[in-house]
């Protein structure tokens, strides 16, 4: 059987959107975005970075490391600057009042969201880490830190901002949702609707 090959196309997406970005302790900023093709390509690159890092994943109280989250934010900071540099002036055009661009949103996230978090919390966490006794489990030591809950709350606020950015980038890039992906379905899911569910009455396993 012959299969039809999908034709390759350039960057897609809407010609205009209303971009919204949540800034912790500031509120929401918004503006009209009329993306050029270069901005759509840059949006896809940054979107991919966001959805493949811990940047937009929830961090439950009993899982993950605060250091890992901060390190991911640092890497994302550098990656975003690299994308801005590579695409250059095409993603930072002059704008009319009430309009935004890829560069405006990206730089706002760097300077108003990530930089304050990293500048405040990185040295404080590093100071606590430096006091870990030899042989002490680093995970347990981090979770015993008196400021751990406060940092975790700040990380949650930042994740909300990054998720709102990711949604905007997804819309501009014209791609599918890669953030809230459905959980993988195993054999039990297919047979009984959910993992661990008993079989319907009158049916037994072989």
């Amino acid at each position: 059987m012959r299969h039809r090959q999908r034709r390759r196309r350039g960057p897609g997406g809407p010609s205009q959107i209303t971009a919204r970005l949540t800034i912790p302790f500031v509120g929401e900023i918004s503006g009209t975005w009329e993306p050029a093709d270069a901005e759509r390509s840059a949006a896809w690159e940054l979107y991919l970075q966001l959805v493949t890092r811990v940047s937009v994943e929830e961090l439950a109280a009993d899982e993950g490391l605060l250091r890992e989250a901060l390190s991911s934010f640092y890497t994302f900071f550098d990656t975003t600057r690299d994308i801005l540099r590579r695409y250059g002036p095409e993603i930072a055009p002059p704008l009319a009042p009430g309009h935004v661009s890829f560069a405006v949103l990206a730089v706002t996230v760097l300077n108003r969201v990530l930089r304050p978090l990293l500048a405040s919390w990185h040295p404080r966490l590093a100071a606590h880490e430096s006091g870990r006794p030899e042989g002490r489990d680093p995970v347990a030591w981090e979770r015993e830190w008196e400021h751990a809950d406060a940092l975790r709350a700040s990380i949650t606020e930042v994740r909300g901002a990054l998720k709102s950015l990711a949604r905007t980038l997804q819309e501009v890039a014209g791609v599918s949702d890669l953030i809230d992906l459905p959980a993988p379905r195993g054999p039990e899911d297919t047979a009984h609707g959910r993992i661990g569910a008993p079989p319907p009455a009158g049916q037994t396993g072989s």
Side-chain angles (χ1 to χ4, degrees):
M1 178 182 296
R2 297 180 60 186
H3 296 279
R4 297 175 60 185
Q5 185 175 7
R6 179 177 295 179
R7 291 184 300 174
R8 303 180 66 180
R9 59 183 178 86
S15 60
Q16 177 179 302
I17 71 164
T18 298
R20 293 183 175 84
L21 185 62
T22 303
I23 306 296
F25 312 114
V26 174
E28 183 182 86
I29 64 172
S30 63
T32 300
W33 187 2
E34 298 175 347
D37 284 348
E39 290 182 281
R40 294 192 184 96
S41 296
W44 162 246
E45 285 196 34
L46 196 57
Y47 178 63
L48 187 61
Q49 289 294 324
L50 282 166
V51 300
T52 55
R53 298 183 182 278
V54 299
S55 307
V56 295
E57 292 294 324
E58 296 297 328
L59 191 65
D62 60 345
E63 66 182 21
L65 280 170
L66 299 174
R67 170 55 63 198
E68 181 183 1
L70 290 186
S71 297
S72 179
F73 290 149
Y74 262 113
T75 304
F76 178 74
F77 196 104
D78 289 340
T79 299
T80 303
R81 289 195 301 187
D82 180 65
I83 292 173
L84 288 165
R85 178 190 58 78
R86 284 190 290 106
Y87 281 91
E90 285 189 81
I91 60 174
L95 299 170
H99 285 65
V100 298
S101 64
F102 177 91
V104 166
L105 295 177
V107 172
T108 297
V109 166
L110 294 186
N111 290 340
R112 301 283 296 278
V113 179
L114 289 179
R115 191 185 299 277
L117 174 82
L118 296 173
S120 173
W121 285 105
H122 170 71
R124 296 164 71 181
L125 179 57
H128 174 70
E129 290 169 332
S130 68
R132 180 170 63 89
E134 185 177 354
R136 187 76 168 89
D137 177 62
V139 175
W141 179 251
E142 183 185 273
R143 291 178 181 172
E144 291 173 4
W145 186 34
E146 60 180 337
H147 300 297
D149 288 344
L151 174 53
R152 195 174 291 272
S154 294
I155 288 173
T156 298
E157 291 279 353
V158 167
R159 280 206 170 98
L162 294 180
K163 194 166 186 177
S164 70
L165 173 64
R167 290 299 184 198
T168 297
L169 297 175
Q170 174 194 341
E171 185 176 358
V172 164
V175 296
S176 60
D177 181 2
L178 301 178
I179 301 173
D180 296 322
L181 295 174
R185 293 174 61 85
E188 295 87 349
D189 295 305
T190 304
H192 309 309
R194 62 182 177 84
I195 295 178
Q203 295 185 20
T204 58
S206 55

